Amino acid sequence: MCGRFFVTSSPETFREAYGYAEQPNFPARHNVAPTQPVAVATSEHGRRRFVLMRWGFLPAWVKDPDDFPLVINARIETASEKPSFRNALRYRRCIFLADGFYEWRRGGPRGQAPYAIRRADGRPMALAGLWETWSSRDGSEIDTAAIVTCGANGLLAGIHERMPAILSPEGVDAWLDMRDVDAGRAAALCRPAPEEWLDLAPASRRVNDVRNDEAGLLRPDEDGPVTPKPPERRSEAQGSLF
């Protein structure tokens, strides 16, 4: 699962990483939450684009959004079978602009502090996503998106059984190539990231409140949890680091 993430790199860093022509200027965000606007990179007719979308996927066939559950994640194992996601997996894949995400220990005590997961090399974290344009009866449209998830790697398995699909640079290119990379090949890119890609550290409980959004959220509270000992490294590979 991925229910919160953060964006701390400069706009130019993301632009260089994902190759879109737009030159947006946006502030750092340390507590991005569902239903909020999120920045994504897409590819349409072979051209990379920077687009703002709502985090909360709405399939085109939904008649009343109030009667449809909030969908912020898409399980890659079933995306090709689900009516909500199968067309998006074929034709509308995107990358969420992010530097890392938060996760809470599954089954932990109430108020358990979250953990912040970043790339070990400090570069942007390419989160695979799916998007869809939903049209209302009055003709207005909204672009919506969900983060793709896969099983957790060994580093994160002690916290939660799921994690977002984090792509390598080569994986980004293939994920955004809807012309030559079909849904099956795209789904194969979404596997647990190698443990050596990631750093995990306690974060502040204040991230639980979406009204809080400052750099201090990435630091633990004074009575926060002890950083778990990382497991023995494995020779799992998904591609080169950024």
Side-chain angles (χ1 to χ4, degrees):
M1 166 149 189
C2 182
R4 300 285 177 84
F5 65 93
F6 50 92
V7 183
T8 55
S9 291
S10 69
E12 186 57 30
T13 297
F14 285 112
R15 185 170 179 263
E16 290 177 359
Y18 302 129
Y20 44 76
E22 293 84 1
Q23 299 184 48
N25 186 21
F26 49 85
R29 298 173 65 190
H30 299 89
N31 195 6
V32 184
T35 74
Q36 293 179 351
V38 292
V40 304
T42 67
S43 181
E44 299 178 43
H45 308 293
R47 175 177 172 265
R48 298 278 178 93
R49 295 187 58 213
F50 170 94
V51 186
L52 290 177
M53 299 187 179
R54 188 195 81 145
W55 187 12
F57 189 94
L58 275 175
W61 44 262
V62 170
K63 292 186 170 121
D64 186 352
D66 292 335
D67 293 333
F68 193 77
L70 180 63
V71 178
I72 62 172
N73 294 156
R75 296 175 66 99
I76 194 58
E77 297 88 345
T78 57
S80 63
E81 306 165 4
K82 295 283 187 182
S84 296
F85 300 125
R86 59 190 176 201
N87 283 335
L89 183 61
R90 293 175 64 189
Y91 304 118
R92 289 176 291 280
R93 303 190 292 262
C94 65
I95 302 293
F96 276 65
L97 273 59
D99 287 281
F101 62 98
Y102 299 103
E103 191 54 84
W104 287 257
R105 187 180 296 278
R106 191 182 183 102
R110 187 177 182 85
Q112 170 72 42
Y115 294 88
I117 298 93
R118 307 172 177 87
R119 284 193 62 109
D121 58 12
R123 298 295 184 88
M125 181 182 283
L127 304 183
L130 301 174
W131 68 277
E132 183 68 86
T133 299
W134 181 81
S135 301
S136 67
R137 290 188 179 92
D138 65 9
S140 60
E141 296 182 340
I142 180 172
D143 292 329
T144 67
I147 293 173
V148 174
T149 65
C150 59
N153 63 16
L155 180 65
L156 296 180
I159 298 176
H160 201 279
E161 63 185 12
R162 306 289 297 174
M163 68 180 294
I166 303 167
L167 302 175
S168 68
E170 298 83 2
V172 167
D173 291 340
W175 182 255
L176 293 180
D177 184 357
M178 265 67 67
R179 294 182 297 185
D180 297 324
V181 178
D182 62 19
R185 289 176 59 198
L189 299 169
C190 299
R191 53 189 185 270
E195 294 162 22
E196 61 269 21
W197 282 20
L198 305 177
D199 278 339
L200 180 153
S204 172
R205 288 184 180 87
R206 290 181 296 115
V207 78
N208 295 332
D209 188 335
V210 297
R211 294 171 296 183
N212 296 325
D213 186 354
E214 70 273 353
L217 298 181
L218 293 168
R219 297 189 293 270
D221 299 319
E222 291 184 2
D223 60 344
V226 176
T227 304
K229 182 179 178 181
E232 183 180 351
R233 299 294 190 188
R234 299 180 300 188
S235 58
E236 189 177 16
Q238 188 187 350
S240 61
L241 295 174
F242 274 104

